[in-house]
Amino acid sequence: MGGKAILLVVIAFSLMFSVVNFNSSNTTTRAVENLSEYYSRTNLQNIAASGANMAANIIFKDPTWTGSFTKLPFQGGYIDINVTKFAVDKIKITSTGYLTGIYDSEIKEDTSLVKIILEPSSFSKFGYYTNKWPSGGYLVTGDTVDGPFHTQGKLLTLGSPVFMGKVTTKGGISSIGNVYGYGPADPEFLGGYESPVDVPFTLNTTKIKDAGNYDGKVFQDAGGNALDVRLVFSDDGSSIGTVEYSTRVTGTSTWSTPVTAKLDTLAPNGVIWNTKGNLYLSGTVNGKYTVGTGKSSSSYGYVYLEDDIVYRDSPLISDPANPGYTITNPDCADMLGVVAEKQVVVKDNTANRNNINIHASLFNYDGGITVEGISPSKPNMGTMKILGGLIENEAQTTGYTNGAGYRQVIKFDKRFETTTPPYFPATETYEIVSWFE
Amino acid sequence: MNTGQMLISIAAMILLSIVIINVNRNSLTNTQNMDQTKYEILAVSLGNAVIHEAFSKAFDEETANNNIVNDEDELTLSLGHESGELNRKDFDDFDDYNYYSENTKSDSTIISADFNINCRVFYVDPNVSLDYVNNRTYHKRIEVSVTSPFLNEGQDTVKLSKINSHFYFR
């Protein structure tokens, strides 16, 4: 009896040890499988990312390139690369890595995908862009530049001006101090500084005109004359507002009878373009639009601001957490881009002689924003408040230290960091807007 | 206890001994495998960390100051770190990691096995070979090998590789 009992006890122990042994082996097997899977997936990820890097270089060298590479052998696997264009000027790069390994406890071939979207970089992302920097022009202590800043020239600072966004220059920077009472040379770059960075100043009016012809509105005189177009935006309480437009041949004095049109039928894609002539602008904008005018000679291409041009909802509201400071208004869905192939000019009229509010990103291809007939003998016109951005070829005068003209304040609309007015001029280079892997 | 019972008891003890010896041997093997697995995962992570670090640097010494190179012949001919860049923290471009090697013994943050990390960097060309080419191109491949006496008695090598290319979008 005693022998049988011992045998039973031993068998029981053996079974118990067997279970322990099995579990232990199983745990080890799973650990090894996890290692193999981690290794395989790391390699697979590297394979796909390598293909994406190579494709990005090809696009960098030749932005017009589309095509594919198939079955490029790498790291025991292979890569498929495909580059396609879609929408307007957007590029999609897909790189797929293939590698046989252990995945989900099975030996099989798996894939990893890297997808990159590139699109032309819009000038509206700058709070202030100036192609040329005047040789004697300094930003001085007390000056504040809001939003991203770029110049193709050399930035000159005196004392300690403050830059709220990232600053980039092509020509570098020259900082001086301890003269004219401006204190030591200590410009404050709160968003960082980088140089040399080349962002060529370009304007392709064909693209914006094509967009206007496709699903927007293009003004063009049938006789080939330059045309003046007057646009008065209006918020009629609907989700999309209206615009009242009239025209005249440039150089004549009689405007056509104004026509009021719903913007969603006049320009569904938001582009209103005058092929050759000038644009007269004012009103309350309800929606997202880019308006502008081209030129065929140095005489045209002006956008004249006849009064305030503002959004239905202010893009800024008071910050409840920091009284006295403002934040982006989440309810503001309005956005405006103004494109002048020559420059933007504030009309010297009664409406503008007591401040002017401009809610827009202003693009001046052959100059900068200025005031009609500005001179040191002009009266004080108050404050020119630009809430958006200013892109210009070269800074122009908007006021004098004796008080003539305007005191200018430019506040960057942070929404332009991620959103642009429709078909707003873009740089000739691409930027990566999405990198998925 | 009669003779029969005695024999059964002896047989049972022998069986139990065999089971215990097997379990013990398997336990040791499993522990060793588990440790090795842990070290190999660490080796993969170390290798990938070096790759990520190299990718955070400029593509080439000629592009280290945000310069854009428009001709492949402007790129570095001899891959490797420049004079004065003696330590890894001094490296400023991708190919500085060519022939870089390191042993983690002195790294107090790695308290388990010690690893040997060796890097090579090659020019590659998607139209010719992704292994290496002898001419300068806009593509460089880094290969990181990690070994350790604790990885299958020094027999195993963890190898990772990735291609970096010169591009600049903004």
Side-chain angles (χ1 to χ4, degrees), chain A residues 110 136 189:
Chain A
D110 205 353
F189 298 110

Side-chain angles (χ1 to χ4, degrees), chain A residues 1 21 24 38-39 50 57, chain B residues 5 26 30 45 159 163 166:
Chain A
M1 181 62 195
N21 196 33
S24 174
Y38 176 54
Y39 187 45
S50 296
N57 167 263
Chain B
Q5 287 174 328
N26 284 341
N30 287 337
S45 299
K159 272 191 182 179
I163 296 170
H166 176 49

Side-chain angles (χ1 to χ4, degrees), chain A residues 1-4 6-7 10-11 13-14 17-18 20-21 24-25 27-28 31-32 34-35 38-39 42-43 45-47 49-50 52-54 56-61 69 72-75 79 118 121 125 166 168 194-199 427 429-432 435 437, chain B residues 1 5-6 8-9 11-13 15-16 19-20 22-23 26-27 29-31 33-34 36-37 40-42 44-45 48 51-52 55 65-70 72 124-127 130-131 138-139 141-143 157-170:
Chain A
M1 181 62 195
K4 286 181 183 173
I6 289 171
L7 188 59
V10 166
I11 288 171
F13 268 105
S14 298
F17 280 127
S18 297
V20 170
N21 196 33
S24 174
S25 299
T27 304
T28 308
V32 172
N34 282 341
L35 160 69
Y38 176 54
Y39 187 45
T42 302
N43 270 328
Q45 184 77 7
N46 286 344
I47 290 171
S50 296
N53 286 330
M54 288 188 288
N57 167 263
I58 296 167
I59 296 299
F60 172 63
K61 286 190 298 182
F69 288 92
L72 284 174
F74 182 57
Q75 273 289 93
I79 314 167
L118 301 107
S121 181
K125 71 182 180 185
K166 182 168 183 179
T168 53
E194 187 180 350
S195 183
V197 173
D198 187 19
V199 185
T427 66
T429 55
Y430 284 89
E431 67 178 330
I432 295 170
W435 186 299
E437 64 180 88
Chain B
M1 188 178 284
Q5 287 174 328
M6 182 70 76
I8 291 172
S9 298
M13 288 303 162
L15 180 61
L16 183 59
V19 167
I20 288 173
N22 273 334
V23 167
N26 284 341
S27 175
T29 306
N30 287 337
T31 304
N33 286 341
M34 290 287 279
Q36 187 164 314
T37 302
E40 287 197 41
I41 285 181
L42 190 54
V44 174
S45 299
N48 219 29
I51 289 177
H52 279 286
F55 267 74
N65 293 316
N66 298 316
N67 292 331
I68 294 170
V69 171
N70 294 312
E72 290 168 333
V124 298
D125 185 338
N127 293 305
L130 297 187
D131 289 332
Y138 287 120
H139 314 281
R141 179 173 71 87
I142 186 169
E143 183 181 274
T157 302
V158 170
K159 272 191 182 179
L160 294 164
S161 193
K162 194 173 179 181
I163 296 170
N164 191 10
S165 303
H166 176 49
F167 59 87
Y168 190 73
F169 297 109
R170 66 167 49 254

